[in-house]
Amino acid sequence: MKSYSEAYKEAGVDITAGYRSVELMKQYVAQTMTAGVVSGLGGFGGLFELPAGYRKPVLVSGTDGVGTKLKLSFLLEKYDTVGIDCVAMCVNDVICCGAKPLFFLDYIACGRNVPERIAEIVKGVAAGCVQAGSALIGGETAEMPGFYPEDEYDLAGFSVGIVEKDRIIDNRAMQAGDVILALPSSGVHSNGFSLVRRVFDIDHITREEAERPIEALGGRGLGETLLTPTMIYVKPVLSLLERVSVKGISHITGGGFYENIPRSIPDGLGAEIRMKEVRVLPIFRLIQERGGISTRDMYNTYNMGVGMSVVVPKESEAEALRILRESGVEAYRLGEITVSEEKLRLL
């Protein structure tokens, strides 16, 4: 017997739309399957078998959402990229511990389940999982009429990774003279959008205005630029970890340089960064100019063009840069570790 409830549909929830969403998304989910996946879609839980070869495996988890960047998705009616952001915000945190992401689950809450839209969102989630080498083994779509507007949704998820216990990245081996490398960002990523929306009045502009080319952005529209997906650093960093001693990794998210770089630095040491070395992206200059925002606040809110920082021994700098560049990441030297009571100094 087919599952169907006329009363529930009259209340605003069409459960058959949920079944249709699952059917549409299966083609994307299938692209993420890895050797450890035990279950398929449709069960009450996602099953994943831990890989062999670990002596003392430690599981590492991370969870996050996309935040108010979704307002750009609503405005431009583009739904297939924000899923990449959702995955990125989780797996980029997990990799900071040196952990390889194993699997991912998403959660989509919406005012009305439009199967084609849900499938487009999951298409992006799957694309992010492929970039991270992670399996998408489950998720949840919640139709919540009266709670969310019909054409809006929220998106969150979580990742679980694995690392050998004695290979967990911590800061115990860090010392003065170590080098800080910058891994460039693709743009604003998924943080600071409440300020972005205020600066550009996103909640009140039209789609046409959002798509209008801007010379300062190289002819790209504001909407396209801001909706650029978050960079996923998993595979380049895993490649680096195989060949170089990495002493600390910071994912530059909300709170910018000031909040995130110090998180990977032990007491008694500090990061000394020369601001002239930071390859600031045009979108950040535009945000600062339009919003009249201080440089201090910019570096305490945005990644400014640096999505991740990695600390390596000075003697490994050239090798680390070569490995990252071979992986498609144009990394560069950002600063160095010094003896300091200040965790961060921007010079």
Side-chain angles (χ1 to χ4, degrees):
M1 180 183 291
K2 270 191 170 183
S3 176
Y4 177 76
S5 171
E6 186 64 37
Y8 208 8
K9 185 175 181 180
E10 288 176 0
V13 179
D14 183 359
I15 57 178
T16 61
Y19 304 144
R20 173 66 176 155
S21 296
V22 172
E23 287 303 312
L24 290 175
M25 69 177 68
K26 279 183 177 179
Q27 59 179 311
Y28 307 122
V29 175
Q31 298 168 8
T32 75
M33 293 298 99
T34 61
V37 178
V38 176
S39 62
L41 290 182
F44 287 98
L47 279 63
F48 194 95
E49 183 177 13
L50 291 182
Y54 287 84
R55 293 173 288 105
K56 292 185 176 181
V58 174
L59 296 179
V60 181
S61 60
T63 185
D64 210 337
V66 181
T68 63
K69 181 174 184 174
L70 293 176
K71 290 283 189 178
L72 272 299
S73 171
F74 307 156
L75 178 63
L76 299 179
E77 298 182 13
K78 184 170 176 58
Y79 309 108
D80 63 347
T81 61
V82 288
I84 299 174
D85 291 291
C86 188
V87 174
M89 299 307 293
C90 299
V91 298
N92 284 345
D93 280 353
V94 165
I95 195 63
C96 287
C97 299
K100 172 182 171 58
L102 294 175
F103 59 83
F104 188 85
L105 282 84
D106 60 20
Y107 175 79
I108 305 169
C110 58
R112 181 168 63 96
N113 186 332
V114 180
E116 292 75 16
R117 182 188 302 157
I118 298 298
E120 283 291 289
I121 296 169
V122 175
K123 177 182 179 181
V125 174
C129 285
V130 169
Q131 289 182 35
S134 176
L136 177 57
I137 64 170
E140 174 71 11
T141 300
E143 190 172 13
M144 302 167 68
F147 194 87
Y148 290 96
E150 279 201 0
D151 292 327
E152 295 189 6
Y153 63 92
D154 198 6
L155 174 62
F158 77 91
S159 172
V160 174
I162 189 169
V163 61
E164 194 72 73
K165 189 172 184 178
D166 60 8
R167 299 197 67 184
I168 295 173
I169 302 298
D170 56 36
N171 55 27
R172 288 179 294 179
M174 199 176 294
Q175 61 186 20
D178 288 338
V179 174
I180 306 167
L181 304 181
L183 280 61
S185 71
S186 56
V188 182
H189 284 184
S190 299
N191 299 104
F193 270 84
S194 292
L195 180 54
V196 164
R197 286 167 45 230
R198 181 183 69 77
V199 169
F200 296 110
D201 198 23
I202 295 296
D203 295 345
H204 300 102
I205 65 173
T206 65
R207 178 171 177 175
E208 181 182 2
E209 290 170 325
E211 293 177 337
R212 186 174 299 147
I214 297 176
E215 185 177 350
L217 299 178
R220 300 175 76 200
L222 179 65
E224 177 190 359
T225 302
L226 292 173
L227 208 53
T228 300
T230 303
M231 187 79 74
I232 292 178
Y233 300 99
V234 170
K235 290 180 180 178
V237 171
L238 285 175
S239 181
L240 182 67
L241 292 173
E242 290 175 1
R243 291 178 276 176
V244 171
S245 173
V246 175
K247 300 185 178 185
I249 306 175
S250 290
H251 182 200
I252 315 300
T253 55
F257 280 46
Y258 284 96
E259 183 174 319
N260 294 289
I261 292 179
R263 292 169 68 178
S264 65
I265 300 175
D267 292 340
L269 297 178
E272 191 171 277
I273 294 171
R274 285 168 290 280
M275 293 173 66
K276 67 179 182 180
E277 299 297 329
V278 180
R279 299 176 186 176
V280 179
L281 295 175
I283 183 59
F284 296 112
R285 299 190 190 282
L286 187 62
I287 292 170
Q288 183 171 18
E289 177 187 329
R290 294 276 185 92
I293 303 168
S294 71
T295 298
R296 172 65 169 73
D297 282 355
M298 289 295 295
Y299 278 85
N300 207 159
T301 307
Y302 298 109
N303 68 62
M304 301 302 289
V306 181
M308 185 167 280
S309 65
V310 176
V311 178
V312 299
K314 186 174 183 178
E315 61 270 20
S316 301
E317 177 183 358
E319 175 71 358
L321 288 173
R322 184 185 65 78
I323 292 167
L324 289 168
R325 288 168 181 167
E326 285 179 352
S327 300
V329 178
E330 287 300 316
Y332 59 93
R333 183 171 182 163
L334 184 65
E336 53 275 328
I337 300 297
T338 64
V339 175
S340 175
E341 292 306 312
E342 288 184 86
K343 287 290 187 74
L344 178 68
R345 294 178 65 207
L346 295 181
L347 306 177

